[in-house]
Amino acid sequence: MNLLCTTLIILVAGLVVISVAKIFINIHRNIKDQESFDKRYKVSFDKHFKKVKVPLIKMKIGGNLKYFIVDSGAESNILATDFFESLDPKYITQSDIEAQLISAEGSSTKALVVHIDLSFKKEKYPSIPFLVTKLVDATEWIQENTKICIAGILGSEFFARYKWLIDFDERCIWVSQLDKEENE
């Protein structure tokens, strides 16, 4: 009987320790999440969204500020062919790699993969991979409605890598500040 009581006490104590540990782990995660949230700032896309119902953000590319469509449903980052051809080659790291690009309609084409540096405010995003392809329908429609020329699309690849979030309720993008090591 003594052995059974001792075993039960050890078992219950172990469960209590595990429960307390889980509580402390959750507290630690919440603190980390809050610290991460404190490193974010909000960028509104409301102004143009009212006209075209598409989130747009301005980023510096090739030494100039250009608009990008924000599309977390697009896996890859896309650069419009006409914009790509207007860029000074010194801003482009070309690869000989082509990737398969599947459109929303399901058609498949090959697209050149290039790497270009982007920046937003003081944050620098080096060597962002882009697939180069025509964006005629989207860019023409936005230009007709807003007079804005679109350089490309920032897809989920970018958002996941830099922990940006799209918030349609507040019509903004939550931009996570880069660590100092990432931004140098």
Side-chain angles (χ1 to χ4, degrees):
M1 183 88 171
N2 218 1
L3 181 59
L4 182 61
C5 285
T6 305
T7 305
L8 282 174
I9 291 172
I10 291 172
L11 183 61
V12 169
L15 291 173
V16 169
V17 168
I18 290 171
S19 296
V20 170
K22 283 183 179 181
I23 291 169
F24 281 114
I25 288 170
N26 284 334
I27 290 170
H28 178 72
R29 280 189 192 135
N30 288 337
I31 289 170
K32 284 290 193 190
D33 289 347
Q34 187 62 42
E35 288 172 358
S36 174
F37 189 75
D38 289 343
K39 290 183 176 183
R40 293 186 181 148
Y41 56 93
K42 182 177 174 178
V43 178
S44 176
F45 57 74
D46 191 45
K47 178 181 174 184
H48 301 298
F49 191 80
K50 290 176 183 176
K51 292 180 184 178
V52 293
K53 304 294 184 231
V54 175
L56 303 175
I57 189 167
K58 257 187 183 177
M59 301 211 43
K60 196 169 202 176
I61 181 170
N64 297 303
L65 283 173
K66 296 293 179 184
Y67 279 97
F68 285 84
I69 297 170
V70 174
D71 184 356
S72 61
E75 183 178 336
S76 301
N77 304 307
I78 308 291
L79 203 58
T81 303
D82 55 342
F83 176 73
F84 170 73
E85 290 171 351
S86 73
L87 274 173
D88 187 329
K90 73 180 179 184
Y91 294 111
I92 303 165
T93 304
Q94 270 189 296
S95 65
D96 294 328
I97 300 170
E98 286 187 338
Q100 203 69 12
L101 181 64
I102 300 172
S103 73
E105 297 83 32
S107 62
S108 177
T109 60
K110 289 191 179 201
L112 178 66
V113 178
V114 297
H115 293 263
I116 302 175
D117 296 345
L118 292 178
S119 62
F120 182 77
K121 299 193 180 199
K122 293 182 180 183
E123 307 286 344
K124 293 182 176 144
Y125 305 95
S127 194
I128 303 301
F130 283 95
L131 302 178
V132 180
T133 191
K134 293 180 181 181
L135 290 177
V136 179
D137 294 338
T139 57
E140 283 180 358
W141 189 79
I142 290 171
Q143 190 165 8
E144 284 174 18
N145 289 285
T146 62
K147 308 293 183 235
I148 292 173
C149 294
I150 301 297
I153 297 172
L154 291 179
S156 62
E157 180 180 286
F158 182 87
F159 277 74
R161 181 175 178 185
Y162 293 108
K163 296 175 180 57
W164 283 23
L165 300 171
I166 302 172
D167 185 340
F168 281 99
D169 291 335
E170 294 197 36
R171 292 189 180 165
C172 72
I173 298 169
W174 290 99
V175 175
S176 295
Q177 294 177 336
L178 297 174
D179 292 332
K180 288 183 181 180
E181 303 87 51
E182 289 179 279
N183 213 7
E184 293 176 353

